[in-house]
Amino acid sequence: MATTTISSARPADAACAPARSLWQRQRWLILRRTSQLLILLAFLAGPWFGVWIVKGNLSSSLTLGVLPLTDPLLVLQTLVTGHLPYSSALIGAAIVLGFYLLVGGRIFCSWVCPVNVVTDAAAWSRRRLGIKTGRVPDAATRYWLLGGLLVAAAVTGSLAWEWVNPVSLLHRGLIFGMGGGLFVIAGIFLYDLLVASRGWCGHLCPMGAFYGLLGRKALVRVSASKRAACDDCMDCFAVCPEPQVIRPALKQVGQESPLILASDCTTCGRCIDVCDKQVFKMTHRFDQRSE
């Protein structure tokens, strides 16, 4: 299997670049962690402090006693089993579906999903330890798994995936205490650390595949608007959870637009954070300008 070597050498002119503040270097990471923490606290406020902002979990919830939100993939599984969800679940799924169709499906992966913190920690540890071995499964594997969980739901007549869904297991565990789900989460961390870089989120997670399909025409995009300033330091490729999405926009491979248009992009903003040349920015899909 072909591998990509990422050089740590920096061009001589990198030392001449103006120093950036911690906020400039970590802004999008800080914002993502804040988003994930606030979402978790909204769920924790009820069982911990008796202030019920949100009841339920990431699969199905009721916010402030008024707003239903339901995972569209959960509703799809339910329909496949031959059962019709409650009207509130259908309304909640329609709201979530509309949001991610507009904003970007895989924003869920980087701004909401608690497993993202686990896989980011594994990727950071892998870089720090200099681990370069391992075998990464084909990226299409997650789509096969997505199809497989729907087939399992149809055959068993039950929401079979939800028994092992790491997102649900971790979220419930953080609120009510970790049980056997701890082994699943530890397994994902060790898999990403020792076997496959970004293996779970980038190649296996069927939820990531589903939300990626939703976000194919989403509004929010990252743009390599200053790609002419790129010094090929490769820092963006090193931190990106889906590095294959960068090259077409950055190097004009198969497209003229500086926008990262691939549905696999999680819109995490890490490429913006690490780029000393400020090549990247957060924008919308109609912004085709190169600076």
Side-chain angles (χ1 to χ4, degrees):
M1 182 182 66
T3 58
T4 301
T5 301
I6 297 176
S7 172
S8 60
R10 300 300 300 273
D13 63 349
C16 301
R20 296 191 300 152
S21 67
L22 176 63
W23 172 250
Q24 290 174 316
R25 290 182 284 110
Q26 303 286 344
R27 175 179 54 178
W28 292 103
L29 178 60
I30 293 170
L31 289 174
R32 285 196 300 116
R33 293 293 178 256
T34 301
S35 170
Q36 291 163 330
L37 179 60
L38 289 177
I39 290 170
L40 178 60
L41 288 176
F43 284 96
L44 287 173
W48 282 22
F49 309 111
V51 181
W52 293 94
I53 300 173
V54 183
K55 294 181 179 179
N57 52 51
L58 287 177
S59 296
S60 182
S61 64
L62 185 66
T63 302
L64 299 175
V66 176
L67 179 65
L69 296 174
T70 311
D71 176 15
L73 181 56
L74 179 69
V75 169
L76 181 58
Q77 292 176 76
T78 304
L79 292 172
V80 168
T81 65
H83 298 87
L84 183 65
Y86 291 116
S87 59
S88 60
L90 292 172
I91 293 171
I95 293 171
V96 174
L97 187 67
F99 176 81
Y100 286 120
L101 284 172
L102 177 65
V103 177
R106 293 211 66 193
I107 280 182
F108 170 85
C109 301
S110 56
W111 291 79
V112 178
C113 180
V115 178
N116 169 257
V117 179
V118 177
T119 55
D120 273 1
W124 179 86
S125 300
R126 188 178 174 92
R127 291 195 300 271
R128 295 284 291 184
L129 295 172
I131 300 174
K132 300 184 182 298
T133 58
R135 183 175 180 84
V136 179
D138 189 279
T141 305
R142 54 186 159 194
Y143 296 103
W144 286 105
L145 290 175
L146 174 61
L149 73 87
L150 294 176
V151 170
V155 171
T156 65
S158 66
L159 304 178
W161 165 247
E162 296 307 314
W163 289 98
V164 295
N165 183 353
V167 178
S168 301
L169 290 175
L170 180 55
H171 192 254
R172 286 197 299 266
L174 291 172
I175 297 174
F176 302 110
M178 294 297 295
L182 179 62
F183 295 100
V184 176
I185 303 306
I188 289 175
F189 177 84
L190 292 173
Y191 177 72
D192 273 24
L193 176 65
L194 302 175
V195 180
S197 176
R198 300 288 187 179
W200 175 255
C201 291
H203 298 84
L204 296 179
C205 180
M207 288 189 69
F210 176 77
Y211 279 103
L213 293 174
L214 290 187
R216 295 180 69 87
K217 299 298 181 180
L219 182 64
V220 179
R221 295 292 179 185
V222 175
S223 174
S225 59
K226 295 183 180 179
R227 57 191 175 189
C230 176
D231 60 6
D232 294 319
C233 71
M234 301 297 286
D235 285 351
C236 55
F237 287 90
V239 300
C240 181
E242 301 278 359
Q244 76 279 1
V245 308
I246 297 177
R247 190 173 299 278
L250 186 62
K251 300 300 181 181
Q252 295 179 269
V253 179
Q255 70 175 52
E256 292 296 322
S257 170
L259 294 173
I260 296 178
L261 295 171
S263 61
D264 289 337
C265 178
T266 66
T267 323
C268 67
R270 287 299 286 147
C271 57
I272 305 173
D273 285 342
V274 303
C275 183
D276 287 332
K277 296 296 184 180
Q278 300 180 55
V279 169
F280 301 94
K281 69 177 182 179
M282 199 73 70
T283 185
H284 54 81
R285 70 177 302 111
F286 301 110
D287 183 3
Q288 302 282 340
R289 298 170 297 171
S290 293
E291 299 177 21

